[in-house]
Amino acid sequence: MTEQLIIFDTTLRDGEQSPGASMTKEEKVRIAKQLEKLGVNVIEAGFAAASPGDFEAIQAVSKAIKKSTVCSLARAVESDIEKAGNAIKGAASKRIHTFIATSPIHMENKLRMTSDQVLARAVQAVKWALNFTDDVEFSAEDAVRSDISFLIEVFDAVIQAGAKTINVPDTVGYSIPHAWGERVGTLIANVPNAGSVIWSTHCHNDLGMAVANSLSAVINGARQVECTINGLGERAGNASLEEIVMAIKTRKDIFNLETSINTTEIVPASRLVSTITGYPVQPNKAIVGANAFAHESGIHQDGVLKHRETYEIMRAEDVGWGANKISLGKLSGRNAFKTRLAEIGIEVESDDMLNAAFDRFKELADKKAEIFDEDIHALVSEEYVEVSVDLYKLISLKSQSETGTIPSASIKISISGVEHAAEVSGNGPVDATFKAIESIVNSQSELLLFSVNNITSGTDAQGEVTVRLSKGGRVVNGLGADIDIVIASAKAYLNALNKLFSKLERAHPQI
Ligand SMILES: [Zn+2]
């Protein structure tokens, strides 16, 4: 029988620590349901002690998920572990992931603890966690810069205390593949009773080697990999789930391992995470980038047409490309709409919200013949922010651009129900639109990022625009979708403003 590699997804915890990617409870549940469909073994849903919002989101995920294990992160602090334990209480299968730093630089400067104190606390943390679940994972933060004999001592002690999974993280993305594999291999060879636990690795991508380092750990005995969809994560991100999974599957000759991932759900998961967080996927990203399976050169195209394997090592349909199903059309009614929402994991909380989303769906169906699941996710993402905040709303927009003239935009928006209008010129229709909004709102925020993506292929596809704004240290991503990209841009800008000024609870882990 082939051994299993456990896929531990931390999109909802480590991924969420990306600037502006913090999610609401409802958004976390939608992603968690897709992760469950994808077949991940463990969903790290958040860091319960980080904020009341994060606590509630973990609770909601615990309730919604039946097949995957739901996990909360917790520092090696009793109150953190208690919150984690309470947050996952309702889960069918639950895990607490507790951690403490073991490197001299972290112990001295951050924790201000001696190594003896750290060792004792690690053991204590595992014991506290066992009061809530027998599935306890322990991480030695900054293991990459920790003394190996101290790591062996700590891991030995926490295994004796009852930890079932031992995670070796490269918190700062410092390692390189052969060194990381060797480190994990050395630990497994030298920690007493190493065979009684699952060894895990958690790598960051600061040097672009998160996936390579993770796979090197796997070759050396790790049987759990911590990763995120699209490699989402703070700084350069985490190891990307899709790359790990497809490497294991495509190079079975080397790894001889299996995962429980239904790979055809990879692209839908990637799309959903990108839509909700406002982090677009680069076109040349492996597996999930728009060009990942595009063969442009004539020699390649010729080869692929004659015999696919000449240039293709994977099939696009195996990772879910081209699988977007036409989900609804112009004639679909409210009930069909509601049913489809439920099928793709969206629970509408009130009739008002359903009606508003249905109206938008009708508007879109008038302009676009085929409505895909991705369109519905984009539409609902917008609706949630507006219904829950309802501060800034787009009423109408007219933008003009013509060669040889100065572009201008004339916009009407409502602020808490009161209509305002402005007409402003700019360097382009989008610039003019943003300036027009600012001439009314005067948010004093800074525009950090503007990007446009297609939600589905084809020129009648909706354009999806991400706008990242920052103000007073707070960063938010706004999202707008429309078949007209200038309108999508206006929606994204207003969506970002709504998030910036909303009191809606968002999880905001700091560690
Ligand atoms: Zn991390």
Side-chain angles (χ1 to χ4, degrees):
M1 214 180 87
T2 318
E3 253 190 286
Q4 256 240 326
L5 179 67
I6 296 168
I7 301 296
F8 176 113
D9 179 278
T10 184
T11 307
L12 299 179
R13 201 278 301 167
D14 219 349
E16 199 203 21
Q17 290 177 208
S18 319
S22 73
M23 304 165 208
T24 63
K25 177 173 79 178
E26 174 274 331
E27 289 167 338
K28 280 198 168 189
V29 170
R30 275 159 66 196
I31 292 180
K33 286 196 171 168
Q34 177 60 30
L35 292 173
E36 185 177 44
K37 232 196 226 174
L38 182 62
V40 308
N41 304 90
V42 186
I43 298 173
E44 188 163 58
F47 181 11
S51 72
D54 220 3
F55 181 91
E56 283 170 28
I58 298 167
Q59 258 186 334
V61 169
S62 300
K63 227 167 76 185
I65 297 304
K66 301 287 168 257
K67 286 186 229 140
S68 314
T69 296
V70 179
C71 172
S72 170
L73 185 70
R75 285 172 301 187
V77 172
E78 191 169 15
S79 58
D80 266 37
I81 290 168
E82 214 176 277
K83 285 197 178 106
N86 289 330
I88 56 171
K89 201 177 262 167
S93 166
K94 53 193 173 224
R95 173 180 296 189
I96 292 177
H97 175 195
T98 186
F99 72 97
I100 193 162
T102 48
S103 64
I105 188 169
H106 275 243
M107 291 193 290
E108 278 158 34
N109 301 301
K110 189 179 79 176
L111 298 174
R112 299 187 192 286
M113 289 167 83
T114 65
S115 50
D116 284 348
Q117 287 171 320
V118 166
L119 178 72
R121 181 70 75 75
V123 168
Q124 187 58 58
V126 170
K127 288 183 179 159
W128 283 324
L130 285 167
N131 292 328
F132 297 94
T133 172
D134 56 8
D135 185 352
V136 175
E137 169 170 339
F138 175 81
S139 277
E141 190 188 6
D142 204 20
V144 67
R145 293 185 294 179
S146 302
D147 175 57
I148 194 108
S149 51
F150 181 53
L151 278 181
I152 293 170
E153 212 182 323
V154 172
F155 289 152
D156 176 22
V158 295
I159 291 171
Q160 284 186 47
K164 295 269 192 311
T165 302
I166 300 296
N167 183 40
V168 191
D170 179 4
T171 309
V172 290
Y174 181 67
S175 205
I176 57 168
H178 80 277
W180 193 243
E182 196 183 293
R183 176 156 279 243
V184 171
T186 304
L187 289 167
I188 296 175
N190 289 286
V191 171
N193 298 312
S196 67
V197 294
I198 298 286
W199 288 83
S200 167
T201 191
H202 175 116
C203 296
H204 277 270
N205 206 32
D206 298 70
L207 292 172
M209 285 186 272
V211 168
N213 287 340
S214 303
L215 292 174
S216 179
V218 169
I219 289 172
N220 285 278
R223 288 296 174 264
Q224 172 177 291
V225 172
E226 304 197 352
C227 46
T228 61
I229 302 289
N230 300 337
L232 188 72
E234 61 187 325
R235 309 191 311 277
N238 286 60
S240 118
L241 179 145
E242 57 279 6
E243 292 175 23
I244 302 263
V245 166
M246 290 314 290
I248 296 291
K249 187 177 158 116
T250 308
R251 297 311 306 270
K252 199 157 185 247
D253 57 327
I254 287 176
F255 296 102
N256 195 24
L257 291 169
E258 245 153 35
T259 72
S260 59
I261 299 298
N262 172 3
T263 59
T264 61
E265 291 293 341
I266 285 177
V267 168
S270 163
R271 289 283 341 151
L272 181 62
V273 168
S274 149
T275 296
I276 285 179
T277 60
Y279 270 78
V281 175
Q282 75 194 58
N284 57 329
K285 166 82 175 64
I287 322 291
V288 293
N291 295 347
F293 291 89
H295 293 271
E296 290 296 332
S297 96
I299 294 171
H300 280 210
Q301 283 177 350
D302 181 56
V304 169
L305 286 176
K306 284 181 180 142
H307 186 69
R308 184 144 78 177
E309 282 76 20
T310 47
Y311 287 101
E312 277 193 4
I313 58 164
M314 297 173 277
R315 297 189 310 168
E317 56 266 39
D318 288 348
V319 298
W321 280 109
N324 40 12
K325 286 184 281 294
I326 299 163
S327 113
L328 292 166
K330 210 177 153 150
L331 298 173
S332 307
R334 193 180 309 261
N335 260 334
F337 181 66
K338 196 177 171 186
T339 308
R340 191 65 203 145
L341 289 183
E343 279 166 7
I344 59 175
I346 300 172
E347 266 156 49
V348 185
E349 281 161 15
S350 68
D351 278 352
D352 281 356
M353 198 175 273
L354 175 67
N355 291 339
F358 184 68
D359 287 346
R360 280 196 185 212
F361 159 73
K362 279 295 192 193
E363 255 173 58
L364 180 63
D366 274 338
K367 298 183 220 159
K368 190 172 185 290
E370 300 163 333
I371 310 280
F372 298 98
D373 289 349
E374 287 89 336
D375 291 316
I376 299 177
H377 274 297
L379 181 142
V380 171
S381 290
E382 269 181 41
E383 197 51 46
Y384 263 100
V385 173
E386 275 195 12
V387 171
S388 49
V389 185
D390 205 20
L391 188 56
Y392 304 112
K393 250 189 153 121
L394 179 68
I395 299 171
S396 67
L397 171 64
K398 184 174 147 199
S399 68
Q400 274 173 316
S401 63
E402 190 187 337
T403 44
T405 65
I406 296 170
S408 68
S410 134
I411 197 165
K412 274 190 199 145
I413 61 174
S414 77
I415 304 179
S416 305
V418 182
E419 195 175 309
H420 297 258
E423 188 169 353
V424 174
S425 56
N427 291 326
V430 172
D431 183 54
T433 300
F434 289 181
K435 281 183 174 147
I437 294 172
E438 277 301 331
S439 76
I440 299 168
V441 174
N442 190 24
S443 73
Q444 321 226 327
S445 60
E446 191 193 343
L447 178 66
L448 298 182
L449 177 135
F450 168 75
S451 85
V452 184
N453 264 283
N454 270 2
I455 291 182
T456 52
S457 56
T459 48
D460 80 332
Q462 289 198 92
E464 185 178 70
V465 173
T466 302
V467 165
R468 187 174 304 156
L469 296 179
S470 113
K471 187 188 179 181
R474 198 159 170 219
V475 180
V476 295
N477 289 326
L479 215 84
D482 199 280
I483 53 170
D484 179 323
I485 62 155
V486 181
I487 294 172
S489 303
K491 286 181 176 175
Y493 201 94
L494 292 169
N495 183 265
L497 288 177
N498 277 328
K499 283 185 176 176
L500 204 55
F501 296 112
S502 95
K503 302 218 164 21
L504 196 65
E505 193 70 62
R506 274 167 194 281
H508 242 304
Q510 296 299 319
I511 289 181

